[in-house]
Amino acid sequence: MPPAPSKDDVVGTWAYLETGVNLIMSHLREGVNMETYMGIYTAVHNFCTSQKAVTAGGIIGGHTSRGAHLLGEDLYRNLKNYLKAHLAVIYEQSNSHTDEALLSFYIREWNRYTTAAKYVNHLFRYLNRHWVKREVDEGKKDIYDVYTLHLVEWREELFMKIHSNVMSSVLKMVEKQRHGETIEQAQVKSIVDSFVSLGLDETDSTKSTLDVYRYYFERPFLLATNAFYEQESKQFVAENSVVEYMKKAENRLEQEKERVGMYLHPDIMNPLMKTCLEVLVTAHSVLLRDEFQVLLDNDRTEDLERMYKLLARISGGLEPLRTKFEAHVRKAGLAAVDKVAAEEDALEPKTYVDALLEVHSQYQKLVDVAFAGESEFVRSLDNACKEFVNRNKICKTGSTRSPELLAKYTDVLLKKSAKSPEESDLENNLVQIMTIFKYIEDKDVFQKFYSRMLAKRLVHASSASDEAETSMIGKLKEACGFEYTNKLQRMFQDVQISKDLNSNYKDWQAKVLDDDDLKKAVDPSYYVLGTGFWPLNPPNTAFIPPQDIVKTYERFQKFYFEKHSGRKLTWLWQLCKGEMKVNYALFNGKIPYTFQVSTYQMGILLLFNDTDWVSYDDMEKATALTPENLDPSVAVMVKAKVILPEPENGKPEHGTRYKLNYAFKNKKVKVNLNIAIKSEQKQEVEDTHKTIEEDRKWLMQSAIVRIMKSRKKMKHVQLVQETINQIKSRFTPKIPDIKKAIDKLIEKEYLERLESEELGYLA
């Protein structure tokens, strides 16, 4: 370094400064001693505060004059010209490098240049604080602090001339890595950082932008990525299966995501993923979707999951899959029902429900695993299940068949039997029943059958578990609301009240009967059931109960009416049952048999206490039963060989006589003769369907009245639609039926016809 010039030697001062700046810019690694460094710093200060500058214009308003300003401008311009010359040399040197060598050269020079710029910026702090600050405050353009000036000059004098060669080298390296070669990732990372650093905010030098990086790095990088994967994907698809291509695409997407983390700027993540998805997935989406059905048919869950993940990332990618999935599930459900529907009349409810559940479980699992439980796929599954549950081969006569069979299966589960499942298994089965129940359209049909079967279970004390019964009602209440289960809960209350009533009756009986009468009395148990809550009909036949039973129920009536005056009791003989001890036949020659019989059978058997032979006519006369009730009761006892007909194989009809079988034998000491007859069950189903139709008429009428009461006036079409909306949770009404209900209400003078197809409410 030459000796420092005098303070007033402006020309000599710049020559000194240029030498010092060049020392830092070109030979920083060799080091700069403190004396030289401080000499340069002082020279900058002297240059800006030169006496010539001060005397040229004097002091104005406490600021240095225009002369000082001119010297600051000279210094800034001289430095700028030096940087241009310095960068021109670097540019010439860069021309001798290509590819990775060019990147190494660029990074080395960039690091050297920016490090030196920081030192120079420090040396020119006086210029930054005074002249640069004032120029910027006055709104002058293209004036920057010294460090930023270095970056601007690098961008204009070097970067703009070699950026395309640098990017070409970067893209070659990235392509090598995509082909599986190892590259120097740190080099690319350094290039990215330098491009980012060159993004300067023209309006505020203290801020930076990503404009340079996005235009000169991100844009060509994305174009190259698009071209690379377009060519690769076309070739791969031509030579490999769709499944293999999906694996390849999945792999490539993951690699590009990792590439961002390794050496790219986070800003590129979204556009890079968008570009890759466009060329790897969107461009081949038709091909992928065409493979979807094949994968479904072959239960390729893992590949379906892969396809879902790929197509879920593009706009509208999944909708065609959902449509195909829904059609496939519906077809699978119908096929499963067809398989079990060969003998429709003999179809077991369990077989039918299991067939529905198997299909639902299979595809629910697929939705959860392959389609991540996505809500729209769940909707497609629900739509398909609703279709095959309500409209299949079993339901060809009407959609009421599914709820009927589901209710019967529920009855099988909740009824006490040797095959009753464990408590936990039973709860799981009830959950599965509710799975099918939510797809049932005619929920009122299920309710009607379920309530009748529940009534029988409660009356005959044949429930497997009170907890299970309560759990099932709770599930129905949660699914359909309080109104749906209100009567079911009242039935439970009646049973509980009846238990307390029986206990009180026994206490009362002990007080009014002497010991001898108590010994002879029948041991009864009564259920008093509310007419409005229990789906039970009065007997469809006259019946003369046996004298012992008459005494018993008259005694109970006396007790009951003492407690509740003004009430009426209707005896449901068809539901009554009892046990009779047999004194003429012994089990294993030791224990008398016990017959479990209906009240009708009890009335018939007690006739044999007075005679060994009883004719059909005598039975009919003594019991007053109609043949529809008498014949099945007799037939069961004949089949069990409790009584024997004469002539042999004689049918229950006029002229046939019956005698007790004194040689009666059975494997059980308790013999159940109270067996439901198929014809009775069929009649009961028919009766239930009739009551469903009647209930629906009332439900539609009440819904229409509720709507009209609040609206007063309404268009006919709107009323029909509103009625459907109100009651579709119970069943789907047919429009002609709604119109009939409206006509009926007009006839009853609840409604009136107005002009323009309007209806009015009559209070």
Side-chain angles (χ1 to χ4, degrees):
M1 281 288 291
S6 68
K7 188 175 180 183
D8 296 328
D9 185 358
V10 174
V11 176
T13 300
W14 168 246
Y16 177 80
L17 283 175
E18 186 176 20
T19 306
V21 168
N22 190 58
L23 182 67
I24 292 170
M25 294 300 295
S26 303
H27 307 285
L28 186 63
R29 287 191 176 185
E30 297 167 16
V32 178
N33 61 47
M34 182 57 71
E35 185 183 347
T36 303
Y37 191 83
M38 290 308 296
I40 298 169
Y41 186 91
T42 304
V44 171
H45 178 268
N46 290 344
F47 193 101
C48 293
T49 59
S50 166
Q51 186 62 34
K52 286 183 180 179
V54 176
T55 57
I59 302 295
I60 302 170
H63 294 286
T64 26
S65 69
R66 187 67 187 159
H69 171 77
L70 289 170
L71 285 176
E73 188 175 346
D74 286 345
L75 181 57
Y76 188 84
R77 185 174 62 252
N78 288 339
L79 178 60
K80 189 174 182 179
N81 290 335
Y82 168 81
L83 292 175
K84 287 181 186 296
H86 178 78
L87 289 166
V89 174
I90 296 175
Y91 172 65
E92 287 301 321
Q93 293 171 348
S94 72
N95 289 333
S96 63
H97 299 284
T98 58
D99 298 340
E100 290 183 41
L102 174 61
L103 296 183
S104 297
F105 173 80
Y106 181 91
I107 293 163
R108 184 171 63 252
E109 291 302 321
W110 166 258
N111 288 336
R112 180 185 297 167
Y113 183 84
T114 51
T115 304
K118 290 172 186 174
Y119 284 104
V120 173
N121 185 60
H122 184 265
L123 291 170
F124 281 70
R125 272 197 305 180
Y126 192 86
L127 183 70
N128 283 339
R129 280 204 308 265
H130 295 278
W131 184 82
V132 171
K133 183 176 183 301
R134 186 173 60 196
E135 293 294 296
V136 171
D137 289 346
E138 289 176 1
K140 295 285 179 64
K141 297 292 183 185
D142 301 325
I143 302 295
Y144 312 97
D145 65 72
V146 171
Y147 180 76
T148 305
L149 176 65
H150 280 71
L151 298 182
V152 170
E153 291 306 312
W154 177 280
R155 184 179 70 190
E156 301 303 325
E157 300 300 323
L158 181 67
F159 175 79
M160 295 307 291
K161 296 173 184 176
I162 69 170
H163 70 80
S164 58
N165 290 338
V166 170
M167 268 314 293
S168 177
S169 302
V170 168
L171 294 174
K172 284 178 185 176
M173 284 185 74
V174 173
E175 187 167 335
K176 280 183 180 180
Q177 191 181 47
R178 284 172 175 156
H179 283 305
E181 295 181 39
T182 303
I183 64 166
E184 190 64 49
Q185 293 178 171
Q187 282 193 330
V188 184
K189 174 71 173 164
S190 296
I191 296 292
V192 170
D193 291 344
S194 76
F195 278 43
V196 171
S197 298
L198 294 174
L200 306 169
D201 190 334
E202 300 294 338
T203 59
D204 186 349
S205 61
T206 62
K207 295 179 181 177
S208 62
T209 71
L210 292 173
D211 293 347
V212 172
Y213 161 77
R214 283 177 181 153
Y215 189 83
Y216 295 104
F217 186 95
E218 200 169 282
R219 190 173 60 89
F221 188 91
L222 295 175
L223 288 171
T225 301
N226 188 82
F228 177 83
Y229 284 127
E230 187 172 13
Q231 190 273 329
E232 184 190 68
S233 64
K234 281 180 181 175
Q235 186 178 341
F236 195 89
V237 163
E239 298 171 359
N240 296 274
S241 68
V242 175
V243 169
E244 287 304 311
Y245 175 72
M246 288 195 298
K247 291 177 183 175
K248 180 76 172 176
E250 195 175 49
N251 232 358
R252 283 305 200 186
L253 288 167
E254 191 57 38
Q255 286 172 10
E256 292 303 319
K257 188 177 177 182
E258 288 172 1
R259 206 179 314 286
V260 175
M262 288 189 290
Y263 53 76
L264 299 177
H265 191 276
D267 181 71
I268 203 173
M269 178 66 86
N270 288 338
L272 178 60
M273 287 296 106
K274 187 178 178 182
T275 300
C276 293
L277 287 168
E278 184 66 36
V279 71
L280 291 172
V281 182
T282 305
H284 302 284
S285 58
V286 174
L287 186 71
L288 297 185
R289 290 174 189 137
D290 288 345
E291 188 73 8
F292 183 68
Q293 190 61 53
V294 177
L295 299 180
L296 270 180
D297 292 338
N298 293 285
D299 298 327
R300 300 277 291 275
T301 305
E302 191 177 331
D303 294 327
L304 285 167
E305 181 182 6
R306 190 170 283 114
M307 183 179 289
Y308 167 79
K309 285 179 177 176
L310 288 173
L311 291 173
R313 298 173 73 172
I314 64 171
S315 177
L318 294 175
E319 192 51 44
L321 300 194
R322 296 186 191 110
T323 306
K324 286 184 179 181
F325 176 68
E326 184 175 327
H328 178 82
V329 175
R330 183 168 63 247
K331 185 179 174 184
L334 293 173
V337 174
D338 287 350
K339 200 180 288 184
V340 300
E343 298 178 15
E344 188 181 337
D345 291 338
L347 179 63
E348 287 291 325
K350 183 181 188 307
T351 307
Y352 178 70
V353 174
D354 283 350
L356 301 179
L357 279 169
E358 188 177 346
V359 175
H360 177 270
S361 301
Q362 179 185 348
Y363 291 105
Q364 180 67 62
K365 186 178 179 184
L366 183 66
V367 168
D368 291 341
V369 175
F371 308 139
E374 196 243 15
S375 60
E376 291 302 315
F377 270 101
V378 172
R379 191 201 303 272
S380 295
L381 174 65
D382 289 346
N383 290 342
C385 290
K386 191 174 283 188
E387 276 297 309
F388 74 71
V389 166
N390 294 288
R391 282 166 282 284
N392 56 49
K393 192 173 181 181
I394 297 295
C395 300
K396 61 180 183 284
T397 54
S399 60
T400 58
R401 196 81 174 98
S402 276
E404 179 187 334
L405 287 167
L406 186 65
K408 287 180 177 177
Y409 177 52
T410 312
D411 182 54
V412 170
L413 285 175
L414 293 172
K415 193 182 284 183
K416 200 184 292 176
S417 73
K419 296 179 182 177
S420 291
E422 293 293 323
E423 196 74 38
S424 58
D425 294 336
L426 181 54
E427 180 62 23
N428 290 336
N429 287 332
L430 296 182
V431 170
Q432 289 183 322
I433 281 172
M434 292 308 297
T435 298
I436 300 300
F437 177 79
K438 76 176 179 180
Y439 298 122
I440 294 289
E441 288 177 354
D442 295 336
K443 290 183 168 59
D444 60 331
V445 176
F446 179 90
Q447 182 196 35
K448 189 64 70 174
F449 277 96
Y450 182 85
S451 62
R452 291 201 168 205
M453 292 165 184
L454 172 63
K456 286 189 177 181
R457 290 197 300 276
L458 294 178
V459 166
H460 297 314
S462 60
S463 287
S465 155
D466 285 348
E467 288 78 11
E469 293 282 9
T470 306
S471 173
M472 185 63 194
I473 289 174
K475 289 176 173 58
L476 291 172
K477 184 178 180 181
E478 189 178 332
C480 300
F482 169 76
E483 190 180 342
Y484 192 84
T485 57
N486 183 29
K487 289 184 179 180
L488 305 181
Q489 289 173 313
R490 285 300 299 265
M491 287 158 66
F492 266 100
Q493 288 176 18
D494 282 352
V495 170
Q496 193 56 50
I497 291 167
S498 294
K499 285 179 182 176
D500 297 338
L501 191 69
N502 279 297
S503 176
N504 293 338
Y505 173 65
K506 283 182 180 176
D507 295 341
W508 177 85
Q509 195 175 233
K511 291 176 184 175
V512 299
L513 294 182
D514 57 33
D515 292 344
D516 194 40
D517 287 338
L518 274 174
K519 286 178 184 176
K520 292 177 183 177
V522 174
D523 183 17
S525 180
Y526 300 95
Y527 287 114
V528 179
L529 315 174
T531 308
F533 305 112
W534 290 73
L536 303 173
N537 298 321
N540 58 359
T541 176
F543 177 58
I544 302 171
Q547 198 55 39
D548 289 342
I549 300 298
V550 171
K551 287 178 187 174
T552 303
Y553 83 70
E554 284 179 347
R555 192 179 298 129
F556 177 77
Q557 284 188 163
K558 184 182 178 185
F559 158 76
Y560 188 79
F561 291 142
E562 282 180 8
K563 289 178 73 71
H564 307 285
S565 60
R567 291 190 183 179
K568 181 186 176 185
L569 291 177
T570 302
W571 295 90
L572 305 179
W573 298 115
Q574 77 276 21
L575 295 175
C576 297
K577 62 177 185 177
E579 291 186 351
M580 302 177 72
K581 193 170 283 186
V582 179
N583 295 315
Y584 62 85
L586 301 176
F587 177 71
N588 291 338
K590 298 176 183 176
I591 308 167
Y593 285 103
T594 299
F595 291 162
Q596 296 172 318
V597 293
S598 68
T599 316
Y600 296 159
Q601 290 170 327
M602 190 182 291
I604 295 165
L605 284 174
L606 285 174
L607 297 175
F608 288 94
N609 272 343
D610 301 323
T611 175
D612 288 344
W613 288 90
V614 179
S615 69
Y616 179 84
D617 294 334
D618 290 340
M619 289 179 182
E620 193 174 37
K621 185 179 177 183
T623 61
L625 291 170
T626 60
E628 291 77 20
N629 289 278
L630 177 61
D631 296 0
S633 298
V634 171
V636 171
M637 293 190 288
V638 169
K639 187 177 180 181
K641 296 185 178 178
V642 172
I643 55 176
L644 305 172
E646 187 185 88
E648 196 174 343
N649 299 326
K651 293 180 180 178
E653 59 187 5
H654 298 295
T656 305
R657 294 198 313 155
Y658 299 91
K659 70 170 180 177
L660 274 180
N661 178 15
Y662 285 99
F664 175 80
K665 296 285 182 193
N666 198 285
K667 292 178 182 178
K668 295 180 179 177
V669 68
K670 276 193 175 184
V671 182
N672 184 22
L673 302 175
N674 188 16
I675 300 166
I677 312 300
K678 277 193 176 180
S679 59
E680 287 181 4
Q681 292 174 330
K682 194 172 182 181
Q683 183 61 45
E684 192 174 302
V685 169
E686 288 173 7
D687 291 345
T688 303
H689 281 297
K690 282 178 187 173
T691 60
I692 289 167
E693 290 304 316
E694 286 302 313
D695 286 351
R696 284 184 172 183
K697 287 176 186 175
W698 287 110
L699 191 62
M700 282 188 281
Q701 288 182 28
S702 62
I704 292 166
V705 169
R706 273 200 309 274
I707 294 164
M708 291 302 295
K709 192 173 183 180
S710 64
R711 302 287 183 88
K712 304 304 178 190
K713 286 182 183 180
M714 207 171 186
K715 290 273 188 188
H716 190 282
V717 176
Q718 291 175 326
L719 177 58
V720 170
Q721 191 56 49
E722 186 68 25
T723 305
I724 291 171
N725 291 339
Q726 280 215 8
I727 58 181
K728 67 183 178 183
S729 62
R730 298 292 293 274
F731 70 97
T732 306
K734 294 172 185 171
I735 291 175
D737 292 339
I738 296 175
K739 288 180 177 177
K740 284 179 187 175
I742 291 171
D743 291 340
K744 195 75 178 171
L745 289 169
I746 291 171
E747 191 183 307
K748 291 179 179 178
E749 297 185 353
Y750 280 95
L751 308 178
E752 64 175 343
R753 291 192 192 280
L754 305 173
E755 293 178 0
S756 305
E757 293 191 1
E758 268 198 328
L759 293 164
Y761 177 69
L762 296 171

